[in-house]
């Protein structure tokens, strides 16, 4: 009876070498606390920021991929607030001239509209330990993109899928690892309920979710909580909430600053950054094939809809598939099947990433081709996959171990004659129309070939030999 209305604010950590406004390394991982800091990101008096050109370019890539409008100059603003892990007591962000406005992300046949995206710097990290708070400022000043959607999402699953699509997109663009577990993709979710057709209801914002599952669970919880309130005739209070993984519940956080509290004003230490159209054109020309275009291409190649979608939004798999396809050895659908079912299954079982194995797209394509040409059975192909992960060559393995299917019809026909002669009763039954008796003969031929013959071929040869068409 109520419909959920959901809008997301997504923070993506950009994969630049250096921070947004200084030369410190941008990736805080692996360094001891406070190793990656300098006067600029520590906010020391007199230190001056310099915008990171690569970060702007990465931002432009995303803006263009989403079809957002990019202004001809970017302006940075100060967003003032006090927090221990924010050394300058303000964050350099963007306000009225952001990196991009508008655009959309295709999702299940719909378009989820993007309101805006802007560049900003990350804060540091507070570690609360036994009543003390420790600060690690390695992350302070790292480049972030914040992307804000219109309230176009309707279900928790959809919100989660949207984030997964954004993750695939930025990974495809090569601008962010977007790994939630590393804090490189974080989301705030806004949700209200209404009766379908009514104006938007009062929303709450659940802040700082750092897993896809967390996003979905927080939204599910809020839907339950708000539904109960509205059913009882009460109102939803506008609020900023946190989410506790353990209990699966949201809880009130600080009362949120109003926009005026941030006292946004243009950053006086940074002149506007011009975005010449020629630069924009260059960035656009350098965009890789986007996931939704990939999906179309896979479908045009005859790959099933579901598979085309799964592959197009899995950057590592689709890169691998594209190379495997380029050899023209195996059919697209067979490659897709073996990739999505057998290979992914095996990788999951072993907790391995495709890139961490020695399997090459060529070896993979050759394995699938051996199977497609009927030279090995699917059982044999599956059995070889683990060794292919270790860099082995499929043809060499098949040859060395005699795993090839007996595909030589002449040889098989002689075997079939032998088996018929050895099992006259079964043969007679088949001739008299008891087709089921064929299975016994088939089983015997398969045994003689150590299971390497193609059952459909043997069956045909048996039927021919016994005159049962
Ligand atoms: P705020 O000023 O509280 O940050 P905004 O209008 O900037 O709110 O919107 C922030 C996010 O909340 C956007 O993603 C937007 O789509 C979403 N949003 C706005 N109004 C609603 C609503 N009534 N219900 C759900 N989401 C909303
Ligand atoms: Mg907001
Ligand atoms: Zn620095």
């Amino acid at each position: 009876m109520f419909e959920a209305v959901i809008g997301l604010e997504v923070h993506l950590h950009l994969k630049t070498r250096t921070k947004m406004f200084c030369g410190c390394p941008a990736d805080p991982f692996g360094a001891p606390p406070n190793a990656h800091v300098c006067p600029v990101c520590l906010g020391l008096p007199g230190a001056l920021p310099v915008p990171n050109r690569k970060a702007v370019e990465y931002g432009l890539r995303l803006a263009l991929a989403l079809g957002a409008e990019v202004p001809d100059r970017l302006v940075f603003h100060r967003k003032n607030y006090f927090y221990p892990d924010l050394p300058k007591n303000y964050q350099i962000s963007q306000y009225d001239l952001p990196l991009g406005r508008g655009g959309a992300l295709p999702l299940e046949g719909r378009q989820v509209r993007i309101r805006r995206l802007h560049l900003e710097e990350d804060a540091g990290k507070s570690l609360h330990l036994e009543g003390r708070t420790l600060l690690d400022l390695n992350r302070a000043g790292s480049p972030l993109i914040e992307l804000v959607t219109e309230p176009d999402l309707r279900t928790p699953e959809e919100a989660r899928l949207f984030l997964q699509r954004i993750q695939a997109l930025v990974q495809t663009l090569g601008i962010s690892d977007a790994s939630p577990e590393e804090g490189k993709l974080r989301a705030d979710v806004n949700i209200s309920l209404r009766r379908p057709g009514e104006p938007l209801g009062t929303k709450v914002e659940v802040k700082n979710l750092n897993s896809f599952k967390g996003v979905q669970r927080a939204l599910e919880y809020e839907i339950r909580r708000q539904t109960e309130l509205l059913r009882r005739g009460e109102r939803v209070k506008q609020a900023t909430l946190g989410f506790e993984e353990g209990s699966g519940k949201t809880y009130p956080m600080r009362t949120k600053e109003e926009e005026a509290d941030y006292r946004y004003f243009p950053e006086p230490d940074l002149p506007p950054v011009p975005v010449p159209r020629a630069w924009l054109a260059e960035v656009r020309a350098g965009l890789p094939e986007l996931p939704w275009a990939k999906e179309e291409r896979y479908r045009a190649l005859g790959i099933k809809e579901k598979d085309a979608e799964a592959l197009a939004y899995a950057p590592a798999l689709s890169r691998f598939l594209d190379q495997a396809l380029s050899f023209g050895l195996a059919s697209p659908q067979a490659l897709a099947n073996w990739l999505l079912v057998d290979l992914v299954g095996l990788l999951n079982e072993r907790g391995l990433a495709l890139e961490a194995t020695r399997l090459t797209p060529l070896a993979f394509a050759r394995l699938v081709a051996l199977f497609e040409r009927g030279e090995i059975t699917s059982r044999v192909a599956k059995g070889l996959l683990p060794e292919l992960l270790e860099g082995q060559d499929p043809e060499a393995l098949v040859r060395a171990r005699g795993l090839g299917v007996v595909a030589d019809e002449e040889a098989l026909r002689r075997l079939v004659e032998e088996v018929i002669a050895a099992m006259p009763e079964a043969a007679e039954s088949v001739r008299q129309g008891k087709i089921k008796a064929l299975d016994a003969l088939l089983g015997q031929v398969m045994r003689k070939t150590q299971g390497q013959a193609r059952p459909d071929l043997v069956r045909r040869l048996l039927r021919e030999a016994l005159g049962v068409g």
Side-chain angles (χ1 to χ4, degrees):
M1 88 164 150
F2 294 108
E3 165 186 71
V5 174
I6 299 166
L8 303 181
E9 296 166 70
V10 189
H11 289 93
L12 296 157
H13 183 107
L14 292 176
K15 213 160 102 170
T16 54
R17 200 171 47 78
T18 56
K19 291 186 180 179
M20 188 66 227
F21 300 109
C22 63
C24 295
D27 195 332
F29 284 91
N34 300 305
H36 294 167
V37 294
C38 74
V40 173
C41 55
L42 287 176
L44 300 188
L48 291 173
V50 177
N52 181 335
R53 182 184 164 93
K54 202 76 189 172
V56 177
E57 183 192 319
Y58 282 2
L60 294 177
R61 272 193 216 172
L62 182 58
L64 292 175
L66 291 167
E69 288 279 339
V70 178
D72 50 24
R73 66 201 166 96
L74 308 182
V75 173
F76 288 100
H77 274 67
R78 285 192 187 179
K79 179 179 183 180
N80 298 277
Y81 64 98
F82 177 81
Y83 208 74
D85 59 22
L86 189 72
K88 297 197 292 284
N89 289 341
Y90 61 83
Q91 176 192 34
I92 305 180
S93 182
Q94 293 195 274
Y95 189 57
D96 54 358
L97 272 175
L99 181 64
R101 276 184 202 284
L105 183 86
L107 192 74
E108 318 246 86
R110 290 200 301 118
Q111 298 284 328
V112 177
R113 291 169 303 154
I114 307 299
R115 182 178 286 181
R116 57 181 269 138
L117 40 136
H118 67 247
L119 283 166
E120 61 184 30
E121 54 176 342
D122 208 346
K125 259 187 169 162
S126 306
L127 295 154
H128 306 288
L129 279 181
E130 298 163 12
R132 291 195 306 168
T133 294
L134 303 178
L135 292 176
D136 176 6
L137 299 176
N138 281 347
R139 213 178 65 178
S142 284
L144 290 181
I145 283 192
E146 178 171 343
L147 175 155
V148 183
T149 73
E150 293 293 341
D152 282 354
L153 297 157
R154 292 292 173 267
T155 64
E157 301 75 52
E158 212 173 56
R160 170 187 169 136
L161 187 61
F162 176 87
L163 287 174
Q164 286 169 333
R165 292 290 158 90
I166 288 287
Q167 179 187 49
L169 175 62
V170 298
Q171 288 175 348
T172 302
L173 293 170
I175 64 171
S176 173
D177 295 331
S179 41
E181 60 287 355
E182 291 181 311
K184 292 179 179 174
L185 184 163
R186 315 194 288 268
D188 305 336
V189 302
N190 297 268
I191 173 164
S192 62
L193 299 188
R194 67 170 173 192
R195 286 176 213 279
E198 282 185 352
L200 294 182
T202 306
K203 74 172 167 78
V204 302
E205 177 175 7
V206 189
K207 282 227 159 282
N208 254 323
L209 296 162
N210 50 20
S211 72
F212 296 123
K213 211 165 162 193
V215 164
Q216 187 168 342
R217 288 173 66 219
L219 287 168
E220 282 163 356
Y221 177 79
E222 273 305 306
I223 291 176
R224 284 198 301 276
R225 187 182 71 84
Q226 294 182 26
T227 301
E228 252 175 63
L229 283 174
L230 296 175
R231 282 226 177 102
R232 288 202 299 264
E234 292 172 36
R235 287 169 168 272
V236 173
K237 272 207 282 292
Q238 209 241 292
T240 303
L241 308 173
F243 178 67
E244 202 198 47
E245 292 274 348
S247 62
K249 291 182 178 175
T250 63
Y251 60 89
M253 286 200 340
R254 59 185 163 86
T255 47
K256 192 179 170 165
E257 289 90 345
E258 294 294 317
E259 188 167 286
D261 299 334
Y262 289 129
R263 293 168 291 128
Y264 276 101
F265 63 87
E267 167 59 63
D269 289 340
L270 287 168
V273 176
V275 186
R277 297 301 98 170
W279 187 20
L280 215 48
E282 198 181 301
V283 173
R284 192 191 302 277
L287 289 182
E289 184 184 31
L290 301 176
W292 41 94
K294 254 188 216 302
E295 183 178 351
E296 280 308 307
R297 176 165 59 85
Y298 291 158
R299 282 163 69 163
L301 285 173
I303 297 179
K304 283 186 287 194
E305 263 177 55
K306 266 245 148 305
D307 295 352
E309 187 185 0
L311 288 161
Y313 286 91
L317 290 186
S318 76
R319 241 186 337 266
F320 190 87
L321 173 67
D322 287 341
Q323 290 179 44
L325 281 167
S326 72
F327 305 114
L329 290 169
S331 75
Q333 182 62 55
L335 287 170
N337 275 345
W338 281 88
L339 201 52
L340 284 171
V341 181
D342 303 281
L343 185 54
V344 168
L346 183 64
L347 291 171
N348 286 347
E349 202 179 285
R350 310 218 159 166
L352 281 175
L354 182 52
E355 311 84 88
T357 73
R358 295 181 58 202
L359 176 63
T360 63
L362 178 59
F364 181 71
R366 287 168 67 192
L367 179 78
V368 176
L370 281 172
F371 164 72
E372 267 200 299
R373 289 197 304 262
E375 291 175 32
I376 55 176
T377 62
S378 75
R379 195 173 50 80
V380 166
K382 250 177 238 171
L384 291 179
L385 261 183
E387 286 166 282
L388 262 59
L389 294 187
E390 266 131 45
Q392 301 261 24
D393 172 70
E395 261 115 18
L397 289 174
V398 168
R399 237 179 295 117
R401 303 202 191 139
L403 295 170
V405 158
V406 182
D408 174 350
E409 278 204 31
E410 264 328 294
L412 271 181
R413 215 183 289 277
R414 278 195 300 277
L415 209 55
V416 159
E417 294 297 347
E418 250 174 60
V419 168
I420 289 173
M423 301 173 72
E425 282 169 30
E428 194 47 36
S429 299
V430 177
R431 283 198 194 90
Q432 285 169 16
K434 283 199 196 146
I435 295 297
K436 266 200 78 61
L438 199 67
D439 291 345
L441 296 164
L442 175 68
Q444 191 56 25
V445 177
M446 293 304 289
R447 257 190 294 285
K448 282 183 181 286
T449 63
Q450 274 106 44
Q452 290 176 40
R454 264 169 53 198
D456 57 331
L457 176 58
V458 175
R459 191 177 288 275
R460 177 167 65 76
L461 294 175
L462 278 166
R463 282 171 165 266
E464 280 171 15
L466 295 165
V468 292

